[in-house]
Amino acid sequence: MTTTVEPLPRETSVPGQTGSAAFDVLRVPLLGRFLRWRWSRVTLQVPVLLLSLVMIGHAFWGPQLAPKNLAALLTWVHFRGLVVLAILVGGNLFCMACPFMLPRELARRWINPRWEWPRGLRNKWLSIGLFVFVLFAYELFDLWGDPWWTGVLIVVYFAAAVVVDSLFRRASFCKYVCPVGQFNFLSSTMAPLELAVRDHGICVGCHTKDCIRGRRPLATGSEGTPDSARLPVLQRGCELALFQPRKVGNLDCTFCFDCVYACPHDNVGILTRLPGDELSQGGTRSGIGRISRRFDFTALATVFTFGALLNAFAMISPVYAVEQWVAEITGLRVEWPILAGLFSLALILEPTILLGAAAAVTRGLAGAPASVLQIINHFARSLVPLGFGIWLAHYGFHFFTGFLTVVPVAQNAALRSFGSPILGDPQWHFGGLPEAIVFPIELGFLMLGLVGSWIVSWSLAGELAPERTGSAFTPWAVLHALLFGVAVWIMTQPMDMRGTMLGG
Amino acid sequence: MQQRRSRFLSVRRPLVVVAALLCADLPSLAAHEGPPFPILMDEPVAGHVVSVWADPDIGEAQFFVIVESPGGGPPPAAPRVAMWFEPVSGRLERATEQATRQPLQNQMQFEVSPYFDQRDMWQIGFRLTGSDGAVGELTSEIESTPPGYGPLDLVIYLFPFVLLGGMWVFAVARRRRMMRTQPGRNVRPHAEVQPMPRES
């Protein structure tokens, strides 16, 4: 693979507080020692893999009523909630413990991938398409209420990871295919932790670049020797092409710790930083390039945010009325064209109009010497904090109102599987927090998202029009406030039995 | 110190205004207390298997009746479902509400909204009439639950988020001010790092 890395402008600041002043989780006595251990990731992956196998078994052979099925309950209530909450308080911990990677690692013991990922697909478009497809299938087939198809989805995911990474080198599945991964990458820009270099001075003197090339038996001082590249890799470097000294933020980082294990100087840590600050950073990023010049990242951020609204909107009562109304005026009797229309409206037409209008007004008010598309590309990142806030509010609602439901469902599964209550009689009254508590939490997540989007867009406005920052900021602040208002309206709609999944 | 404090307050003010605006709209926001929970599970009635989930809030109670065939999955024909309810004390007469079927795929579910006028213990029953004319009934008791504390809930549970938001804005503003006054600080020496080898 050839990866060109342009030097960043010297004035580019470090996101958050990365550097020697930041707190380093890897320095925490027991936790740090465990995480630095080479098998720490596998240790985290194995229980998640076993749980996935239990879920698959229950999906196909357990009760097909979703609230009583572990696959549906754990996937749509617990997994989604825990993923976003873990990102909020830590980082991309799901990718770190990703169970899909274990079969892939096993397969790679026998299969040596031969091909590089096709050049034309080295972007986010395929994963954006899959992300939208999953959202669409979720609504069309009511996946939350269908354990069997939920099981199929999990199996397909495992198979796809194995097939893609058996054919193509490096972490092609994670970087270019996995829709959950893209969701986690964008979300983790809001995380308080980042895998980053502790002391850049050490990297200046490093000649081996093991953090990206991988460590080989004679790696130290072996650079330039023709045979060094043929030696077996003892510890691989970053498979997502993120060169640590020039890596900025969490985008495309799976927290796999390969760079931590590979660095011969023990110079990579898990450092604290200001959430969302990396979204304000300009310049070229290792393995990514310039975000402001990548329209696929603009599309990803847009789908991430507007998809959050759409996904939440699809779970409240008014969506049935809208679908019914469309069916009546069009005469359609099948759901998918109506749903496709709603998706096109929400993910293409609406963002095009809103982002285009905000960019056009910015151009007029601030006199920015850039095209509307360039301004959209510049500001699209500012949607991410609000989008993450909406996902947090939505998934947090499901999780907080239903996190204890796993207890009776697991008890019931054991009872049915073994014929005796080895986990006790199902305690069906177990639920979660009352909505009187959960609703303010939802609102709090939305408010934090709005504040984050305003912080990022203020910074981006200053970069675009230093003399007229306020004028460049205003249209985007209004757009964020509008989306925030829509999200609050959605969260206040009748939720029926969403928390227990009986109503989606 | 005073200047710093007033700047901090000015940053928080918009958040407080948002919270106050939302508090003003509380009547529409005050949702029912607690998510629905199951009160009857997998009970055989009139040739069906029935589960009932309750959300017994005063004034806006909801009950969800899930009907399955004995072999699992939705039955081929939908039964009629009705719910009756009366206070255990007998202070009100028995009332009956018809349940309506919800538009869900892969499962047959009915919703019924009885009116509980105050906190009390209620005797409730669910009558199923199958398409073959078979009739069966399930009964239970339930306590109607009061709504939450209303505005106070919002203020209490929203406060940590307002605090976090304020701290976040304060931290960003502080860091930017620091970067303006000390431009060399927090700069990553990218240019000094040797380029990565092209063959990796």
Side-chain angles (χ1 to χ4, degrees), chain A residues 1-5 7-18 64-68 139-142 144-146 170 190 194 196 200-201 203-204 206-209 212-213 216 223 229 243-249 274-277 280-281 320 335 385 401-402 405 412 416 428-437 439-441 443-445 447-452 454-456 458-459 484 488 492 495-497 499-504, chain B residues 11 14-19 22-23 25-26 28-43 49-55 57 62-68 72-74 102-111 147-176 178-180 183-200:
Chain A
M1 185 184 79
T2 56
T3 305
T4 54
V5 183
L8 274 170
R10 284 185 62 88
E11 65 274 16
T12 301
S13 63
V14 180
Q17 295 180 343
T18 52
Q64 288 304 299
L65 186 65
K68 292 193 284 188
E139 303 303 341
L140 183 64
F141 302 116
D142 291 350
W144 68 84
D146 196 325
R170 299 180 182 83
M190 302 302 297
E194 174 191 347
H200 284 273
C203 297
V204 172
C206 178
H207 297 279
T208 60
K209 319 295 183 210
I212 192 156
R213 296 177 62 192
R216 297 167 197 270
E223 188 191 8
F243 181 40
Q244 264 298 342
R246 300 179 191 202
K247 171 176 173 281
V248 176
L274 272 176
D277 204 37
S280 308
Q281 304 300 314
Y320 297 119
E335 190 184 5
T401 55
T405 50
N412 191 47
R416 290 190 174 217
W428 290 111
H429 60 278
F430 278 18
L433 294 174
E435 279 185 44
I437 295 175
F439 178 71
I441 293 175
L443 210 53
F445 286 146
M447 282 173 56
L448 285 180
L450 178 66
V451 169
W454 281 351
I455 289 172
V456 173
W458 177 265
S459 178
F484 170 79
V488 171
T492 56
M495 298 177 196
D496 295 335
M497 298 188 67
T500 52
M501 300 197 324
L502 292 180
Chain B
V11 166
L15 299 175
V16 175
V17 169
V18 171
L22 291 164
C23 287
D25 192 31
L26 272 174
S28 66
L29 302 185
H32 46 275
E33 169 81 352
F37 56 92
I39 54 171
L40 297 164
M41 287 299 287
D42 299 336
E43 298 286 345
V49 176
V50 174
S51 301
V52 178
W53 294 57
D55 192 6
D57 286 350
Q62 284 181 303
F63 285 78
F64 300 88
V65 182
I66 300 155
V67 182
E68 294 178 276
Q102 292 188 290
L104 296 177
Q105 290 182 17
N106 308 319
Q107 73 187 53
M108 186 179 288
Q109 183 173 308
F110 297 82
E111 181 193 2
Y149 297 113
L152 201 56
D153 277 332
L154 201 61
V155 171
I156 291 170
Y157 296 111
L158 207 52
F159 178 72
F161 292 95
V162 174
L163 199 64
L164 267 176
M167 286 166 59
W168 192 9
V169 171
F170 180 72
V172 170
R174 186 164 169 263
R175 205 172 70 81
R176 292 209 177 126
M178 194 175 70
M179 284 170 63
R180 271 201 304 274
R185 190 170 165 141
N186 258 3
V187 171
R188 186 178 288 189
H190 304 92
E192 282 80 4
V193 178
Q194 295 191 3
M196 197 193 69
R198 293 185 70 84
E199 172 58 42
S200 60

Side-chain angles (χ1 to χ4, degrees), chain A residues 139-169:
Chain A
E139 303 303 341
L140 183 64
F141 302 116
D142 291 350
L143 287 180
W144 68 84
D146 196 325
W148 197 88
W149 278 107
T150 301
V152 169
L153 183 68
I154 299 171
V155 171
V156 166
Y157 227 107
F158 272 107
V162 170
V163 169
V164 169
D165 279 355
S166 296
L167 294 174
F168 300 100
R169 289 178 184 156

Side-chain angles (χ1 to χ4, degrees), chain A residues 425-499:
Chain A
D425 289 318
Q427 302 295 310
W428 290 111
H429 60 278
F430 278 18
L433 294 174
E435 279 185 44
I437 295 175
V438 175
F439 178 71
I441 293 175
E442 288 180 86
L443 210 53
F445 286 146
L446 292 177
M447 282 173 56
L448 285 180
L450 178 66
V451 169
S453 283
W454 281 351
I455 289 172
V456 173
S457 51
W458 177 265
S459 178
L460 294 173
E463 198 180 303
L464 185 78
E467 304 300 322
R468 305 176 82 170
T469 302
S471 301
F473 167 73
T474 303
W476 296 92
V478 170
L479 173 64
H480 298 141
L482 178 71
L483 297 177
F484 170 79
V486 172
V488 171
W489 175 78
I490 289 173
M491 299 301 164
T492 56
Q493 291 307 298
M495 298 177 196
D496 295 335
M497 298 188 67
R498 282 167 45 192

Side-chain angles (χ1 to χ4, degrees), chain A residues 381-403:
Chain A
R381 285 169 273 171
S382 69
L383 292 169
V384 173
L386 184 58
F388 184 56
I390 299 169
W391 286 114
L392 263 173
H394 179 186
Y395 288 175
F397 171 84
H398 286 292
F399 180 73
F400 288 128
T401 55
F403 66 94

